[in-house]
Amino acid sequence: MTRSPRRAAPDQGRHVPVLLPEVLAALGLDRDGLAVDGTFGAGGYTRGLLQAGPGVQVIAIDRDPTAIAAGQDLVRTAEGRLRLVQGCFGALDTLLAEAGEAGADWIVLDIGVSSMQLDQAQRGFSFRQDGPLDMRMGGDGPSAADLVNGSEEAVLADILYHFGEERRSRAVARAIVEARRRAPIETTAQLAELVAGVVRAEPGSPIHPATRSFQGLRIAVNDELGELVRGLHAAERALRPGGRLAVVTFHSLEDRIVKQFFAARSGRAAQSSRHLPGTEAPPPRSFRLVTKGPVLPSEGETDINPRARSAKLRAAERTEAPPPPTLSAIEALASLPADTRRARR
């Protein structure tokens, strides 16, 4: 586990990408080539990639149409070196092919909700400002309100427990079902107040009691863990030999998936003994690790950017081995258990 060095405070009022110098160093942009920012957001990593060298071309992907629209000024200032593509990074290899590219030299993924989305009350991601209970990154599909008002109690409890890591998930789900019998739960303030009536705030903690429940719903609405699993495999298919993948995560569920993916693909995962009869040969190693453990933000970065507190960076370099089959064990980490009867408090 490596902690990055201190850095100067950024300009106030500007979106600050987390661990940007560390991401650029891990990617090793030392030649001309094609970089992919799979999670464009407010464009922080894309700007860093463009500044790495005049021979670096960038394709930036985002599922949020408002992010694509807001990035058009950056496209113009990049003078032909940047293309924005609306879509999910879980299909980035297909999106690259549709853009006429045979592969990529560098890929960066910044997992989770963007600061821009959190700051827009009408998007319904945050309980700090009242707004419609939406949480959809792409604006399509069922919203958080649909899940809250339409899911069975056991399913809600599973979402909050497994995706939100909320220990009081059963009690919160029960309170939601009781409340929606009287009237639909339609706003972030309604839900936050309801959860706060069930989950006690920890003494001295700045974390709101509804934080974990909101996280769980957001992950479920956007299939964020499934998208991460698809994105890791898509990056594996898209990267040229010697190309590098850097992934920044913000909570343990995401980091566990990235850690286990890189461990399996680099040969660090536990293997069956070669002396046992009937065991299969290990798959070819499609990645070699660039970071031996997670790179953490410096204390200076977390002081000026509290969002960075839980960030972890992991990176690996693509080998010449062909992409092995999809890892079913990693896919399982992104799913709810089949048995929704598991006991919780």
Side-chain angles (χ1 to χ4, degrees), residues 164-308:
E165 301 177 295
E166 173 52 68
R167 290 171 295 177
R168 296 276 292 158
S169 61
R170 180 66 71 192
V172 174
R174 188 180 307 116
I176 288 173
V177 171
E178 291 174 357
R180 75 190 189 192
R181 289 196 183 104
R182 297 187 293 271
I185 302 168
E186 298 177 335
T187 70
T188 57
Q190 282 179 283
L191 181 60
E193 182 179 1
L194 188 152
V195 176
V198 177
V199 180
R200 292 182 180 179
E202 297 181 10
S205 173
I207 299 175
H208 191 283
T211 298
R212 290 183 291 271
S213 293
F214 270 64
Q215 173 187 295
L217 286 169
R218 192 200 77 225
I219 288 174
V221 165
N222 297 288
D223 188 23
E224 291 180 31
L225 300 183
E227 188 68 10
L228 173 57
V229 170
R230 291 187 291 273
L232 293 171
H233 287 94
E236 180 181 51
R237 294 189 295 269
L239 279 170
R240 300 184 178 101
R244 290 189 175 187
L245 169 62
V247 187
V248 177
T249 61
F250 289 89
H251 59 72
S252 60
L253 299 176
E254 300 164 345
D255 182 61
R256 180 175 59 174
I257 288 173
V258 177
K259 177 182 178 180
Q260 293 194 21
F261 177 83
F262 280 157
R265 293 314 207 201
S266 65
R268 284 180 168 264
Q271 301 287 345
S272 299
S273 171
R274 62 186 177 88
H275 300 292
L276 293 177
T279 57
E280 296 181 359
R285 299 180 182 183
S286 55
F287 280 99
R288 63 176 63 92
L289 299 182
V290 173
T291 57
K292 302 304 181 184
V295 176
L296 307 181
S298 68
E299 292 181 4
E301 179 170 11
T302 57
D303 287 344
I304 60 179
N305 186 9
R307 179 176 177 260

Side-chain angles (χ1 to χ4, degrees), residues 33-36 57-59 83 92-105 238 240:
L34 177 64
V36 176
Q57 300 285 321
V58 181
I59 291 180
R83 285 172 281 174
L92 66 85
D93 55 334
T94 300
L95 296 174
L96 283 179
E98 292 173 351
E101 298 291 345
D105 300 289
R240 300 184 178 101

Side-chain angles (χ1 to χ4, degrees), residues 28-29 34 54 64 72 86-87 126-127 144 162 169 221 260 322-323 326-327 333:
L29 296 99
L34 177 64
D64 189 341
Q72 295 307 313
Q86 184 176 343
S126 175
F127 45 76
H162 292 280
S169 61
V221 165
Q260 293 194 21
T326 299
L327 288 163
L333 294 177

Side-chain angles (χ1 to χ4, degrees), residues 162-163 225 330-337:
H162 292 280
F163 293 159
L225 300 183
I330 302 298
E331 289 182 315
L333 294 177
S335 305
L336 293 175

